Amino acid sequence: MKKIFIILLSALISGSLQAQNIMSGIVWDGTNNQPLEGATVWHEPAKTGTFTDVNGSFSLVLPDGITGMISFSYVGYRKATIRAEARQGITILLFPESELKEVVITAGRAAEADPVTQKTIDKKEIEEKYFGQDGAFLLERLSPSIVSWSEAGTGIGNYGQMRLRGIDQTRINITLNGVPLNDMIDQGVFFSNFIDFGNSIESVQVQRGIGTSTNGTSSYAGSISFESPNLNDSLPSAEVQLLGGSFATRRASAELYTGKISKGFSAYSRITSLQSDGYKHHSSTDSWSMFFSGMYSGSKDKIRITGFTGRSKNGLAYLPVAEQDIVADPKTNYVNENDIDNFGQSF
């Protein structure tokens, strides 16, 4: 019986001591004397805190040997602090911020030190891997975790798809200078409709995973951020590219940089034509595209307009082929030779 009495007495003493270490009170809006529900009450030294209830009331148990300060905060209000001590029935007044901070929306990329799995590819590396192929096929050569496939079987034009971390294009956030490129209907990007896109890219960053994408389609697979040519540092130049290859593939491309001209104007433009018979029977491509970017740089203002357009006539080869027919003729294509797409896209 004595043991039970001692245990009960100890519990009562402990509860009494704990009650002495309680700070309680109410948090009000200092401008209208209304309670603030959900305000944060935080004791930094003990790393402990609580929230106010619907009436603005709070009760916080403080540790033995009370030290430091108690802070009171609420979104949109200036923070208040008082010395940590066992007190009951105190009133805290919080006042709204008198000045809102400026909010700037930017289409930024992940920095090198950010905790994001990423790879940024510059113009030099792009040129080493690029020979005029569709954007999806180029990206496969530039970054890990990307795989692509081609309907025509050439890996240069016609319809193609890619996957990032095993997830298809509808869950890859793809942008140019921060502006979404994903189609508004099915969320994919049809690089075949604006060929030679890689020739007008200054750099590209591939983020694998959710990453830092700020707009556009859901980025469960990752995000791909393209940047168009830098007009600030460009010098006047012109270039013509001619390419010939397998499957009667031929590409002609002309490019022009004006550099900075009078009154702060500068521009870049490219026009391309691509034809290919394709590897599979009647899977040809006949395409053209044009890319333009112009900029005005004044003493206080900068205005930039970027646009591109293209059109492709593609023989279709989307149907699966039986293995025995592939063995007999690897170029077998079940789709009728007169079934041809003629699509274009403008941005």
Side-chain angles (χ1 to χ4, degrees):
M1 186 68 180
K2 290 181 179 179
K3 291 182 179 180
I4 295 174
F5 173 76
I6 292 171
I7 291 171
L8 290 174
L9 181 61
S10 298
L12 290 172
I13 293 173
S14 175
S16 176
L17 290 174
Q18 189 179 48
Q20 294 176 5
N21 287 354
I22 291 179
M23 174 181 278
S24 64
I26 189 168
V27 179
W28 294 84
D29 182 322
T31 60
N32 58 21
N33 292 326
Q34 294 297 314
L36 292 176
E37 179 186 3
T40 302
V41 183
W42 182 252
H43 185 216
E44 178 62 30
K47 305 296 182 185
T48 185
T50 186
F51 298 97
T52 57
D53 61 19
V54 67
N55 298 312
S57 301
F58 71 91
S59 179
L60 180 64
V61 178
L62 301 173
D64 294 331
I66 305 168
T67 60
M69 306 292 288
I70 301 290
S71 66
F72 300 84
S73 60
Y74 193 78
V75 176
Y77 288 70
R78 293 195 298 272
K79 182 162 59 174
T81 57
I82 63 172
R83 187 166 59 88
E85 57 182 341
R87 297 169 58 190
Q88 286 78 47
I90 64 175
T91 299
I92 303 296
L93 299 179
L94 297 183
F95 294 88
E97 290 280 3
S98 58
E99 182 178 345
L100 294 176
K101 295 181 179 179
E102 179 183 13
V103 176
V104 179
I105 301 175
T106 61
R109 291 178 169 181
E112 186 175 350
D114 288 346
V116 176
T117 307
Q118 58 175 283
K119 182 178 182 182
T120 302
I121 304 99
D122 60 18
K123 181 71 171 177
K124 181 180 178 182
E125 186 175 353
I126 292 174
E127 289 178 342
E128 290 174 354
K129 304 291 178 62
Y130 185 68
F131 52 83
Q133 67 270 46
D134 188 337
F137 311 137
L138 171 63
L139 288 165
E140 183 179 37
R141 289 172 165 258
L142 296 177
S143 175
S145 302
I146 293 180
V147 295
S148 66
W149 58 266
S150 163
E151 279 192 10
T154 59
I156 186 169
N158 206 292
Y159 290 119
Q161 294 286 333
M162 66 178 177
R163 287 180 174 266
L164 174 57
R165 297 172 60 243
I167 304 174
D168 69 81
Q169 286 177 249
T170 63
R171 290 299 174 261
I172 304 174
N173 183 293
I174 303 178
T175 60
L176 173 67
N177 302 334
V179 179
L181 297 183
N182 297 75
D183 186 84
M184 67 181 70
I185 297 175
D186 66 5
Q187 307 303 309
V189 176
F190 299 95
F191 287 105
S192 65
N193 288 345
F194 41 93
I195 55 152
D196 207 21
F197 185 71
N199 230 349
S200 299
I201 296 304
E202 185 76 20
S203 68
V204 57
Q205 182 180 88
V206 179
Q207 296 179 25
R208 303 186 289 281
I210 299 300
T212 63
S213 61
T214 55
N215 51 40
T217 193
S218 303
S219 58
Y220 295 114
S223 57
I224 297 172
S225 168
F226 293 105
E227 283 189 352
S228 60
N230 182 359
L231 300 182
N232 279 323
D233 302 324
S234 64
L235 298 174
S237 64
E239 180 182 73
V240 174
Q241 297 178 355
L242 299 174
L243 175 142
S246 304
F247 319 114
T249 299
R250 32 302 157 213
R251 178 175 66 90
S253 178
E255 186 176 78
L256 174 67
Y257 283 93
T258 65
K260 285 190 176 180
I261 54 181
S262 62
K263 299 183 179 180
F265 288 96
S266 55
Y268 161 84
S269 185
R270 172 194 50 77
I271 186 167
T272 300
S273 175
L274 171 70
Q275 290 82 36
S276 176
D277 288 348
Y279 174 76
K280 292 184 177 181
H281 295 308
H282 44 266
S283 63
S284 63
T285 294
D286 184 1
S287 306
W288 66 268
S289 69
M290 184 169 65
F291 193 106
F292 172 81
S293 186
M295 185 172 69
Y296 165 75
S297 296
S299 58
K300 295 183 179 180
D301 307 293
K302 180 182 291 185
I303 300 174
R304 181 169 180 170
I305 298 175
T306 298
F308 53 98
T309 186
R311 179 163 289 275
S312 295
K313 297 178 181 179
N314 291 327
L316 305 184
Y318 56 85
L319 290 176
V321 178
E323 184 175 2
Q324 63 268 23
D325 291 335
I326 294 176
V327 173
D329 183 359
K331 297 184 179 183
T332 300
N333 179 10
Y334 292 158
V335 182
N336 189 284
E337 61 182 331
N338 296 315
D339 196 353
I340 298 174
D341 272 354
N342 185 356
F343 282 136
Q345 225 169 347
S346 299
F347 290 83

